């Protein structure tokens, strides 16, 4: 299984922290041959360039192309702002996508364009098959890799390392066909539930028990700190980071980084993590929640909050 990785440093750090399976397991147990990776690859300079051409011309088969980073097209569609091995990176990407059996976009930049693609997008950045929520992106809506699958999107800033390695294993073991994708091409196995699923602060959420400072141990981060756990699809509280914790468990709000609209910069300056509230009703409510009903529920919940809903779960 020959895989070509185009990663930057932050995703490499995440990827190398994978635990189930680890990056080493991919090689030792699942027979991965990492053709190239910016930190792990052996080829440099002219050797790398020659290998890239061998891949593009079919002399070296590429089973999986894993791409991270937005596709930079500036200036004026030339892509020369981001050159790699003596060509615009976007040209290598276009050629390698045609010969790879599977194409995987890792992280928000590769999936939806990410922060670089925010208006006014001076780098003319694009995601591989989406620009934000709009399907199309750099490779086009109809792109299919040689396997017949579209780009598999693993978003996040950064993406959880085990999401990456488990998808690679699913391909290596011939089980990728069992993993359905959602309408944004995200594997449902990781993105069919909200970040709130598995959060240890759900009791506090239900009874509107709020905290207003980062890192506080009891209370929900939704009401005053703008946690996006109830409206963000991810498994961060089901598949824990470092198999130990998550942002919400340590008192940091979910910032919604697996959704195409991330970052949510329409909030007031200086209130990046603050939810704007009106009569105690947050500006962004979970999907399908009626504002009036929510306001009534808030009053009732606060008035009926049992003692256990304010328990400090770190000490019990
Ligand atoms: S901290 Fe966030 S994810 Fe956890 S219960 Fe509150 S809103 Fe939901």
């Amino acid at each position: 299984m020959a895989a070509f990785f185009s990663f930057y440093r932050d995703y490499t750090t995440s990827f190398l922290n994978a635990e189930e399976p680890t990056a080493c397991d991919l090689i030792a147990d699942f027979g991965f041959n990492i053709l190239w990776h910016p930190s792990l690859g052996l080829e440099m300079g002219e050797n790398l360039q020659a290998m890239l051409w061998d891949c593009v011309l079919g002399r070296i088969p590429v089973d999986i192309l894993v791409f991270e980073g937005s596709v930079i097209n500036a200036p004026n569609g030339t892509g020369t702002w981001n050159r790699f091995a003596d060509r615009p990176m976007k040209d290598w990407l276009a050629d390698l996508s045609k010969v790879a059996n599977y194409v995987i976009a890792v992280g928000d930049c590769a999936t939806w364009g990410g922060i670089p693609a925010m208006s006014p997008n001076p780098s003319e950045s694009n995601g591989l098959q989406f620009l934000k929520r709009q399907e199309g992106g750099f490779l086009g809506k109809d792109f299919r890799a040689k396997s017949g699958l579209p780009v598999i999107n693993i978003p996040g800033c950064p993406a959880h390392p085990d999401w990456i390695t488990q998808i690679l294993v699913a391909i290596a073991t011939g089980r990728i066909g069992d993993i359905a994708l959602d309408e944004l091409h995200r594997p449902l196995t990781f993105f069919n539930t909200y970040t709130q699923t598995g959060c240890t602060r759900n009791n506090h959420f239900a009874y509107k028990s709020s905290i207003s400072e980062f890192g506080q141990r009891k209370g929900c981060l939704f009401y005053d700190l703008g946690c996006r756990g109830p409206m963000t699809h991810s498994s961060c509280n089901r598949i824990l980071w470092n198999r130990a914790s998550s942002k919400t468990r340590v008192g940091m709000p979910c910032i919604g980084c697996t959704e195409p609209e991330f970052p949510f910069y329409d909030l007031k300056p200086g209130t990046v993590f603050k939810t704007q509230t009106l009569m105690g009703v947050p500006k962004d409510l979970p999907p399908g929640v009626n504002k009036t009903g929510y306001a009534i529920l808030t009053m009732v919940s606060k008035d009926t909050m049992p003692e256990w809903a304010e328990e400090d779960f770190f000490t019990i």
Side-chain angles (χ1 to χ4, degrees):
M1 186 65 48
F4 189 99
F5 289 81
S6 173
F7 272 18
Y8 293 110
R9 213 164 286 134
D10 48 347
Y11 283 84
T12 294
T13 305
S14 181
F15 174 65
L16 294 179
N17 277 298
E19 295 192 60
E20 292 185 16
T22 67
C24 292
D25 292 339
L26 290 180
I27 297 163
D29 296 344
F30 296 98
F32 271 80
N33 171 19
I34 297 183
L35 292 172
W36 191 78
H37 176 288
S39 299
L40 307 175
L42 297 178
E43 309 295 348
M44 293 174 71
E46 289 176 0
N47 288 346
L48 170 60
Q49 211 177 336
M51 192 197 72
L52 279 160
W53 280 117
D54 283 344
C55 291
V56 168
L57 297 174
R59 294 193 282 258
I60 297 178
V62 179
D63 294 308
I64 309 173
L65 169 65
V66 188
F67 188 77
E68 183 261 325
S70 62
V71 187
I72 294 172
N73 293 285
N76 305 317
T78 61
T80 54
W81 279 13
N82 184 23
R83 291 182 69 80
F84 176 72
D86 210 30
R87 292 173 85 198
M89 172 61 105
K90 77 177 182 72
D91 292 349
W92 287 119
L93 183 58
D95 289 342
L96 289 170
S97 300
K98 286 182 197 143
V99 297
N101 285 332
Y102 299 91
V103 178
I104 303 177
V106 169
D108 277 19
C109 295
T111 50
W112 338 115
I115 293 172
M118 284 163 63
S119 178
N121 193 358
S123 55
E124 300 169 35
S125 286
N126 213 341
L128 255 62
Q129 211 166 11
F130 283 83
L131 177 58
K132 299 299 176 184
R133 197 168 283 269
Q134 187 184 342
E135 200 170 1
F138 175 68
L139 294 173
K141 188 176 175 188
D142 297 327
F143 170 82
R144 295 292 179 270
K146 278 169 69 182
S147 61
L149 287 181
V151 174
I152 298 169
N153 283 333
I154 307 180
C157 197
H160 192 302
D162 290 359
W163 301 342
I164 305 169
T165 54
Q166 286 182 23
I167 287 298
L168 291 171
V169 166
I171 291 173
T173 54
R175 290 185 298 105
I176 192 67
D178 300 338
I179 296 178
L181 305 179
D182 70 9
E183 73 281 3
L184 296 169
H185 300 186
R186 299 176 295 196
L188 276 173
T189 185
F190 304 124
F191 297 98
N192 67 336
T193 55
Y194 290 106
T195 310
Q196 182 153 341
T197 304
C199 179
T200 47
R201 296 174 191 261
N202 268 314
N203 282 348
H204 304 133
F205 178 84
Y207 286 99
K208 322 298 176 203
S209 165
S210 180
I211 58 172
S212 56
E213 300 290 334
F214 298 141
Q216 285 179 333
R217 302 198 312 189
K218 48 178 193 172
C220 174
L221 303 147
F222 179 68
Y223 307 99
D224 291 303
L225 294 174
C227 181
R228 300 195 68 86
M231 55 274 252
T232 300
H233 293 90
S234 90
S235 45
C236 291
N237 277 310
R238 287 194 288 120
I239 302 173
L240 298 178
W241 289 73
N242 300 319
R243 296 284 151 174
S245 195
S246 70
K247 286 186 72 182
T248 60
R249 288 182 185 218
V250 296
M252 286 295 291
C254 165
I255 54 175
C257 75
T258 51
E259 297 294 341
E261 292 78 15
F262 173 81
F264 297 84
Y265 62 98
D266 59 331
L267 301 175
K268 283 181 188 164
T271 61
V272 175
F273 290 103
K274 294 263 186 192
T275 301
Q276 292 167 310
T277 59
L278 179 64
M279 303 282 288
V281 180
K283 176 174 169 267
D284 286 331
L285 285 174
V289 175
N290 169 284
K291 277 203 170 181
T292 312
Y294 186 87
I296 296 167
L297 178 68
T298 299
M299 281 190 297
V300 174
S301 298
K302 277 182 176 291
D303 279 353
T304 57
M305 187 190 304
E307 256 178 39
W308 56 258
E310 289 225 279
E311 281 170 347
D312 180 349
F313 53 83
F314 282 94
T315 57
I316 54 179

